[in-house]
Amino acid sequence: MPTDCISYQNSGYFSTLMQDYLNQKSTLSPLYNHFPTLENFEKQILEKEQNFDHSSRSTLVSVLQQQYTNSTVSSLTHQNIASLGTQNTYTVTTGHQLNLFSGPLYFLYKIISTINLTKELKAKHPEYNFVPVYWMATEDHDFDEINYFNFKGKKFRWNTQSTGPVGRLSTEGLDAFFEIFALELGQTKNANALKTIFEEAYLQHATLADATRHLANTLFGEYGLVIIDADNQDLKKFFAPYIKNELTAQTSFAVVTETIKKLSDYTIQVNPREINLFYIEDTVRERIIFENEKYKVNNTDLIFSKEEILALVESNPEKFSPNVIMRPLYQEVILPNLCYIGGGGEIAYWLELKAFFDAVNVTFPMLLVRNSVLLATEKQVSKADKLQLSWEDLFSKQNQLENKLTHKLSSFSIDLTPQREQLQKQFALLHDIAKQTDESFTGAVKAQETKQLKGLDNLEKRLLKAQKRKLKDQLERATDLQNELFPNKSLQERQNNFSEFYLEQGPQLIPTIIDRLKPLEQNFEVISF
């Protein structure tokens, strides 16, 4: 089977900013705290220990215990929740939207990266406890981003309406959705296991937050994963001072705007607003806008004076919801967190926030790019071997793959570079002659050289096309394989749902992936079954 290793930087699927971050480019060093190496975590622990409100721990434990009241909790998760009350316990956190039935595969890879990192940290620092945390994005309101998943090339969408925070959305109506999905699954043992997982999560829980907690707990509870819903009044009491600062001083807008100027060479992931907070109710999540000395809730009739809105923060902090700029701060205020694990896009916007954290005196976490995985069957690996394809070949763009394979399979060279060099040598002699005569001849030599070199270029392109036609069958097998592994010419982990692979592998799917992944390595892992 192909054995070459694909680094994130060479995969072709990471932005320039992420490549520079992974390469630890010096100009980016002011935008993060410590780069995520095992050795650097000791520094992060000491900083967090000295700059965290440990009095919040008891509230955190109480809230988590309450949220798990109706869940079957593994002994390790129960132990991890309890240990959060002690000062020698720290978390590693990932966050994700409440995608229906987990959404794309990378939901698994985020959580697995988090679990595996806590194991490595415990082995390195046995005097501390490390808890893997999944932060559910229950306050998001972009329902269209999460109401579907892909299964065997088909999109399964939950057709309902949502106007407020998705975590509070009722699961009513998913029984009809399930009937359709169940037909696609079939009647195998693994199919029936998937049906049970879906039914117990979505048909036996009233809200999307509860359903997602149950799903994640079913898949990862035995590994001690702790799942948090931060849409909670008690937790937001600890965030209230930062909410007030955002409303009155608007620190994030000023500081993050300055940071963005330093990132002018890169694509900016998110831009701050003057106030990076929403007003939230069961069916409402709207921006708070400051106009004419008043605080207005967009698209509503709600208007507050400064005194009124600060009083509301004091009495009902749960009515204020952080946006993408403020949510990371909320996380780091209420969790004794050391590291955030996310995809390239997430890490890109976290890099905009370091100066903001410094301004409000909250320790900035380490930022780790999650594991990325390509799942391949033994049959697909065998096809790659027969076609003499490396993983580097398969990760390349399809036109590049076709060109490279055509060159490899051809019985003669398609590269006309030797002919091009010979032609240039001949014209070099003509140029020497031209220097000894009229300038008009020099121009004629240059024009003829350009014409003939261009002619060779065209011949080379036509030769490549001719060979592609001759090798059509082999090239089609290669591109068919690539299309299987990279659906819609995108990464598999961004397209496919875990259920497609669970259907074949069953309960061993997650343990197999957990055993293979190393969270601090910066390579795509190819796992074959």
Side-chain angles (χ1 to χ4, degrees):
M1 64 179 285
T3 57
D4 54 317
C5 192
I6 306 298
S7 70
Y8 294 157
Q9 295 95 317
N10 294 329
S11 68
Y13 286 94
F14 279 73
S15 68
T16 304
L17 176 57
M18 278 303 93
Q19 292 178 50
D20 288 348
Y21 173 66
L22 293 170
N23 291 329
Q24 300 181 58
K25 189 174 180 179
S26 60
T27 54
L28 294 179
S29 60
L31 305 183
Y32 57 90
N33 198 11
H34 303 293
F35 192 79
T37 63
L38 197 58
E39 294 71 28
N40 279 344
F41 271 92
E42 185 172 5
K43 303 171 189 175
Q44 189 73 24
I45 291 169
L46 294 175
E47 288 182 26
K48 191 69 176 182
E49 183 178 40
Q50 295 167 11
N51 193 30
F52 181 71
D53 182 3
H54 295 279
S55 68
S56 66
R57 287 179 178 271
S58 59
T59 300
L60 177 62
V61 171
S62 177
V63 168
L64 286 168
Q65 289 173 338
Q66 184 179 13
Q67 291 182 352
Y68 273 88
T69 299
N70 297 318
S71 301
T72 300
V73 184
S74 72
S75 58
L76 185 52
T77 294
H78 180 80
Q79 176 185 320
N80 279 343
I81 292 173
S83 74
L84 287 168
T86 63
Q87 289 196 202
N88 68 331
T89 298
Y90 294 92
T91 64
V92 174
T93 302
T94 192
H96 197 68
Q97 295 171 298
L98 307 190
N99 295 72
L100 186 61
F101 212 37
S102 81
L105 270 165
Y106 65 80
F107 170 79
L108 269 62
Y109 307 150
K110 279 183 167 184
I111 292 177
I112 289 172
S113 299
T114 305
I115 290 168
N116 282 346
L117 182 55
T118 59
K119 292 178 183 177
E120 290 194 20
L121 289 173
K122 184 63 176 177
K124 178 73 172 178
H125 301 282
E127 69 275 21
Y128 294 103
N129 300 314
F130 303 95
V131 175
V133 171
Y134 162 39
W135 179 291
M136 295 193 296
T138 54
E139 296 180 50
D140 281 4
H141 61 270
D142 295 323
F143 183 63
D144 288 344
E145 293 184 3
I146 66 168
N147 66 351
Y148 69 93
F149 61 88
N150 297 317
F151 177 79
K152 293 190 174 181
K154 296 181 181 180
K155 178 174 285 189
F156 289 82
R157 185 181 296 277
W158 178 17
N159 293 313
T160 190
Q161 297 296 317
S162 175
T163 56
V166 294
R168 304 184 193 182
L169 179 64
S170 170
T171 55
E172 186 177 354
L174 274 172
D175 50 347
F177 174 96
F178 174 65
E179 288 181 12
I180 299 170
F181 179 50
L183 291 174
E184 292 288 332
L185 287 172
Q187 296 295 333
T188 65
K189 180 180 178 181
N190 291 339
N192 290 331
L194 282 168
K195 292 174 191 177
T196 299
I197 292 171
F198 190 99
E199 282 185 289
E200 291 181 349
Y202 293 95
L203 306 189
Q204 297 178 21
H205 291 86
T207 67
L208 190 54
D210 290 341
T212 305
R213 181 187 298 106
H214 182 90
L215 175 64
N217 187 54
T218 298
L219 297 176
F220 297 105
E222 65 180 285
Y223 302 100
L225 181 69
V226 172
I227 304 154
I228 187 169
D229 177 1
D231 184 9
N232 179 275
Q233 183 183 41
D234 293 333
L235 294 177
K236 283 191 176 173
K237 286 179 181 176
F238 289 95
F239 193 52
Y242 303 92
I243 296 174
K244 291 178 179 178
N245 174 273
E246 180 67 10
L247 291 168
T248 57
Q250 300 173 16
T251 303
S252 64
F253 178 73
V255 178
V256 176
T257 298
E258 283 301 309
T259 298
I260 286 175
K261 292 178 182 177
K262 299 175 184 177
L263 289 166
S264 58
D265 291 338
Y266 304 100
T267 300
I268 300 303
Q269 197 70 20
V270 295
N271 287 287
R273 298 186 181 276
E274 286 79 2
I275 295 178
N276 292 284
L277 294 168
F278 291 93
Y279 179 87
I280 191 172
E281 297 280 3
D282 284 348
T283 59
V284 174
R285 189 175 186 249
E286 293 286 353
R287 289 192 297 119
I288 298 172
I289 302 169
F290 186 62
E291 290 180 348
N292 301 320
E293 303 302 315
K294 296 288 184 179
Y295 294 89
K296 302 178 181 180
V297 179
N298 198 38
N299 294 322
T300 75
D301 295 328
L302 293 172
I303 300 176
F304 303 93
S305 66
K306 178 180 178 181
E307 293 74 19
E308 288 170 338
I309 202 164
L310 292 180
L312 186 63
V313 174
E314 197 65 32
S315 63
N316 297 93
E318 74 280 3
K319 291 185 181 295
F320 297 85
S321 176
N323 75 352
V324 66
I325 296 291
M326 290 288 287
R327 190 213 66 79
L329 180 67
Y330 181 30
Q331 172 187 297
E332 297 303 311
V333 166
I334 66 173
L335 293 180
N337 194 49
L338 301 175
C339 178
Y340 183 76
I341 296 178
E346 290 176 279
I347 302 304
Y349 77 70
W350 273 85
L351 289 172
E352 299 177 26
L353 304 178
K354 172 66 163 57
F356 171 44
F357 273 68
D358 292 343
V360 295
N361 193 31
V362 174
T363 300
F364 197 62
M366 298 169 80
L367 304 176
L368 178 63
V369 178
R370 63 167 173 81
N371 285 125
S372 282
V373 180
L374 177 64
L375 300 177
T377 65
E378 290 184 1
K379 185 178 179 181
Q380 288 168 331
V381 172
S382 177
K383 284 182 182 178
D385 281 337
K386 290 177 181 177
L387 290 166
Q388 304 175 47
L389 293 173
S390 67
W391 292 120
E392 182 180 0
D393 294 334
L394 288 165
F395 267 84
S396 63
K397 301 304 180 185
Q398 194 153 100
N399 188 56
Q400 294 173 338
L401 171 64
E402 291 176 337
N403 290 346
K404 189 171 183 179
L405 190 56
T406 301
H407 281 273
K408 185 184 293 186
L409 296 177
S410 292
S411 57
F412 54 85
S413 176
I414 302 173
D415 183 1
L416 298 185
T417 297
Q419 290 81 0
R420 195 176 287 105
E421 290 175 348
Q422 185 62 36
L423 186 64
Q424 288 172 327
K425 287 180 182 178
Q426 293 174 349
F427 273 97
L429 295 174
L430 287 172
H431 282 301
D432 287 340
I433 294 172
K435 291 176 184 176
Q436 303 174 44
T437 185
D438 187 77
E439 287 185 5
S440 62
F441 184 67
T442 300
V445 171
K446 286 183 178 179
Q448 190 64 28
E449 180 181 21
T450 300
K451 180 180 179 180
Q452 292 198 29
L453 286 172
K454 187 175 181 180
L456 272 180
D457 290 342
N458 290 332
L459 284 174
E460 189 175 73
K461 291 176 183 177
R462 293 186 66 175
L463 179 58
L464 179 62
K465 287 182 179 179
Q467 279 300 91
K468 282 184 178 181
R469 286 192 293 270
K470 182 178 179 181
L471 300 168
K472 180 182 177 183
D473 290 344
Q474 293 99 314
L475 295 180
E476 281 187 353
R477 288 199 294 272
T479 55
D480 286 347
L481 175 59
Q482 188 183 52
N483 290 336
E484 289 176 14
L485 295 169
F486 297 83
N488 295 323
K489 295 182 172 55
S490 178
L491 288 176
Q492 176 193 81
E493 63 185 32
R494 296 178 186 171
Q495 298 289 321
N496 298 48
N497 182 261
F498 86 95
S499 57
E500 193 167 329
F501 299 91
Y502 193 101
L503 201 59
E504 299 298 324
Q505 300 301 317
Q508 284 305 306
L509 175 67
I510 289 175
T512 299
I513 299 172
I514 285 177
D515 288 344
R516 288 288 300 273
L517 297 188
K518 305 296 181 186
L520 296 173
E521 293 184 359
Q522 299 175 7
N523 298 311
F524 266 88
E525 185 70 31
V526 180
I527 300 177
S528 59
F529 296 103

